[in-house]
Short mmCIF file of all heavy atoms in Angstrom, two decimals:
data_model
loop_
_atom_site.label_atom_id
_atom_site.label_comp_id
_atom_site.label_asym_id
_atom_site.label_seq_id
_atom_site.Cartn_x
_atom_site.Cartn_y
_atom_site.Cartn_z
N MET A 1 0.84 -1.21 -0.01
CA MET A 1 0.00 -0.01 0.00
C MET A 1 0.87 1.25 0.00
O MET A 1 1.89 1.34 0.70
CB MET A 1 -0.89 0.00 1.24
CG MET A 1 -1.91 -1.12 1.26
SD MET A 1 -3.23 -0.90 0.05
CE MET A 1 -4.06 0.51 0.73
N CYS A 29 -12.28 8.54 -28.36
CA CYS A 29 -13.15 8.08 -29.43
C CYS A 29 -13.37 6.57 -29.40
O CYS A 29 -14.36 6.06 -29.90
CB CYS A 29 -12.58 8.49 -30.78
SG CYS A 29 -11.00 7.70 -31.19
N GLU A 46 -12.58 -1.22 -19.25
CA GLU A 46 -12.06 0.05 -19.70
C GLU A 46 -10.67 0.38 -19.14
O GLU A 46 -9.83 0.96 -19.81
CB GLU A 46 -13.04 1.17 -19.35
CG GLU A 46 -12.71 2.52 -19.95
CD GLU A 46 -12.91 2.58 -21.46
OE1 GLU A 46 -13.79 1.87 -21.97
OE2 GLU A 46 -12.18 3.35 -22.12
N LYS A 47 -10.43 -0.01 -17.91
CA LYS A 47 -9.14 0.32 -17.29
C LYS A 47 -8.00 -0.46 -17.93
O LYS A 47 -6.83 -0.14 -17.70
CB LYS A 47 -9.17 0.02 -15.78
CG LYS A 47 -9.28 -1.45 -15.42
CD LYS A 47 -9.26 -1.62 -13.90
CE LYS A 47 -9.36 -3.10 -13.52
NZ LYS A 47 -9.34 -3.27 -12.04
N ARG A 82 1.62 -1.32 -28.56
CA ARG A 82 1.42 -0.09 -29.31
C ARG A 82 0.54 -0.26 -30.54
O ARG A 82 0.61 0.55 -31.49
CB ARG A 82 2.77 0.55 -29.66
CG ARG A 82 3.56 0.92 -28.41
CD ARG A 82 4.96 1.42 -28.66
NE ARG A 82 5.01 2.73 -29.25
CZ ARG A 82 6.12 3.44 -29.37
NH1 ARG A 82 7.27 2.96 -28.91
NH2 ARG A 82 6.09 4.62 -29.96
N ALA A 101 4.99 7.04 -17.37
CA ALA A 101 4.19 6.72 -16.17
C ALA A 101 4.84 5.60 -15.39
O ALA A 101 4.93 5.65 -14.13
CB ALA A 101 2.78 6.35 -16.57
N GLN A 144 22.82 -27.26 -22.03
CA GLN A 144 22.20 -28.00 -23.12
C GLN A 144 23.10 -29.12 -23.64
O GLN A 144 22.63 -30.25 -23.86
CB GLN A 144 21.87 -27.02 -24.27
CG GLN A 144 20.80 -25.99 -23.93
CD GLN A 144 20.69 -24.90 -24.98
OE1 GLN A 144 21.67 -24.56 -25.66
NE2 GLN A 144 19.51 -24.34 -25.15
N MET A 165 7.42 -21.25 -17.79
CA MET A 165 8.88 -21.20 -17.74
C MET A 165 9.49 -22.58 -17.98
O MET A 165 10.52 -22.71 -18.66
CB MET A 165 9.35 -20.64 -16.39
CG MET A 165 9.07 -19.16 -16.21
SD MET A 165 9.76 -18.50 -14.69
CE MET A 165 11.51 -18.65 -15.00
N PHE A 188 32.41 -8.22 -42.95
CA PHE A 188 32.14 -9.23 -43.96
C PHE A 188 31.96 -8.49 -45.30
O PHE A 188 31.19 -7.54 -45.39
CB PHE A 188 30.85 -9.99 -43.61
CG PHE A 188 30.94 -10.78 -42.34
CD1 PHE A 188 30.68 -10.17 -41.12
CD2 PHE A 188 31.28 -12.11 -42.36
CE1 PHE A 188 30.77 -10.87 -39.93
CE2 PHE A 188 31.36 -12.85 -41.17
CZ PHE A 188 31.11 -12.23 -39.95
N GLY A 203 22.62 -6.68 -31.02
CA GLY A 203 21.74 -6.97 -29.90
C GLY A 203 22.42 -7.81 -28.83
O GLY A 203 23.43 -8.46 -29.07
N ASP A 207 22.77 -11.68 -30.23
CA ASP A 207 24.16 -12.04 -30.54
C ASP A 207 24.73 -13.07 -29.58
O ASP A 207 25.91 -13.34 -29.58
CB ASP A 207 25.04 -10.80 -30.55
CG ASP A 207 26.12 -10.89 -31.62
OD1 ASP A 207 25.84 -11.49 -32.68
OD2 ASP A 207 27.24 -10.39 -31.39
N THR A 208 23.85 -13.65 -28.76
CA THR A 208 24.27 -14.74 -27.88
C THR A 208 23.33 -15.93 -28.07
O THR A 208 23.66 -16.88 -28.76
CB THR A 208 24.28 -14.28 -26.40
OG1 THR A 208 23.02 -13.62 -26.10
CG2 THR A 208 25.39 -13.30 -26.14
N CYS A 276 13.77 -4.55 -30.44
CA CYS A 276 14.94 -3.64 -30.40
C CYS A 276 14.73 -2.47 -31.37
O CYS A 276 15.01 -1.32 -31.05
CB CYS A 276 16.22 -4.38 -30.77
SG CYS A 276 16.63 -5.71 -29.61
N SER A 334 5.72 -9.04 -35.61
CA SER A 334 6.24 -8.45 -34.40
C SER A 334 5.49 -7.14 -34.20
O SER A 334 5.45 -6.29 -35.11
CB SER A 334 7.74 -8.17 -34.56
OG SER A 334 8.15 -7.14 -33.66
N ARG A 338 5.74 -3.84 -36.70
CA ARG A 338 4.60 -3.39 -37.46
C ARG A 338 4.12 -2.01 -37.03
O ARG A 338 3.95 -1.11 -37.86
CB ARG A 338 3.43 -4.39 -37.31
CG ARG A 338 2.21 -4.02 -38.14
CD ARG A 338 1.06 -4.97 -37.92
NE ARG A 338 -0.04 -4.62 -38.80
CZ ARG A 338 -0.29 -5.19 -39.98
NH1 ARG A 338 0.47 -6.18 -40.41
NH2 ARG A 338 -1.31 -4.78 -40.72
N ASP A 374 9.49 -9.07 -21.46
CA ASP A 374 9.45 -9.99 -20.31
C ASP A 374 8.03 -10.20 -19.79
O ASP A 374 7.82 -10.71 -18.70
CB ASP A 374 10.35 -9.47 -19.17
CG ASP A 374 9.90 -8.12 -18.62
OD1 ASP A 374 8.97 -7.50 -19.22
OD2 ASP A 374 10.47 -7.67 -17.61
N ALA A 428 8.58 -23.08 -35.59
CA ALA A 428 8.57 -21.62 -35.50
C ALA A 428 9.98 -21.15 -35.84
O ALA A 428 10.96 -21.66 -35.29
CB ALA A 428 8.16 -21.15 -34.11
#
Side-chain angles (χ1 to χ4, degrees):
M1 295 290 292
C29 65
E46 188 70 30
K47 67 179 181 180
R82 299 174 70 170
Q144 293 170 330
M165 290 185 66
F188 297 84
D207 216 34
T208 49
C276 297
S334 156
R338 182 183 184 97
D374 62 352

